Amino acid sequence: MLAIIRAHSAYSHATKSAISVTMIHDTINHLSRYQSDAYRMIEKFIAEQDCTKLENGEIAIDGKNLFVKVMSYQPKPISEGKFETHIVHADLQYIVEGVELMQITDVRHLT
């Protein structure tokens, strides 16, 4: 079973006419390197919670601008996986327990 926290932030915006492709792949220990209000609030949230005891569901950090989705699930086999993209918001995934394979690609290569 995988326990994951997904923090969604509307603080990062890209326009549909000029999509900026940026992917950060790092560990939670380095979150403070990415200076933004949203990342500081996420870092504070994670530090103040026992993330292993959070119930599945949404928790608002800053209303609709910044919230987390707590999810527990069995990861799909790689053959059933699909790529996801985000135009309007950023998505930080913090795996609390378990292992999940995540593959990344430039959105311009997706059909």
Side-chain angles (χ1 to χ4, degrees):
M1 185 64 71
L2 181 73
I4 189 167
I5 294 177
R6 296 182 72 169
H8 297 270
S9 172
Y11 288 95
S12 297
H13 294 287
T15 65
K16 291 182 181 179
S17 60
I19 297 174
S20 172
V21 179
T22 304
M23 176 72 182
I24 298 170
H25 183 255
D26 208 338
T27 67
I28 200 70
N29 299 339
H30 299 147
L31 187 60
S32 62
R33 291 180 180 176
Y34 310 102
Q35 298 299 314
S36 76
D37 290 340
Y39 286 140
R40 281 188 282 280
M41 286 187 272
I42 294 165
E43 192 171 43
K44 183 176 186 274
F45 176 86
I46 290 171
E48 293 176 352
Q49 304 295 320
D50 180 350
C51 294
T52 63
K53 295 192 177 358
L54 294 174
E55 296 288 327
N56 286 346
E58 271 188 28
I59 303 168
I61 295 176
D62 185 25
K64 293 288 185 187
N65 290 324
L66 181 63
F67 59 93
V68 298
K69 286 184 181 178
V70 180
M71 301 180 287
S72 298
Y73 57 88
Q74 191 67 38
K76 296 178 186 178
I78 195 167
S79 61
E80 295 176 24
K82 295 181 180 174
F83 284 101
E84 63 180 66
T85 62
H86 304 291
I87 303 299
V88 178
H89 69 271
D91 183 359
L92 181 139
Q93 297 192 13
Y94 175 53
I95 298 174
V96 177
E97 186 176 279
V99 177
E100 184 173 37
L101 174 65
M102 294 181 197
Q103 294 180 311
I104 61 172
T105 191
D106 187 320
V107 69
R108 295 171 290 195
H109 298 283
L110 299 175
T111 57

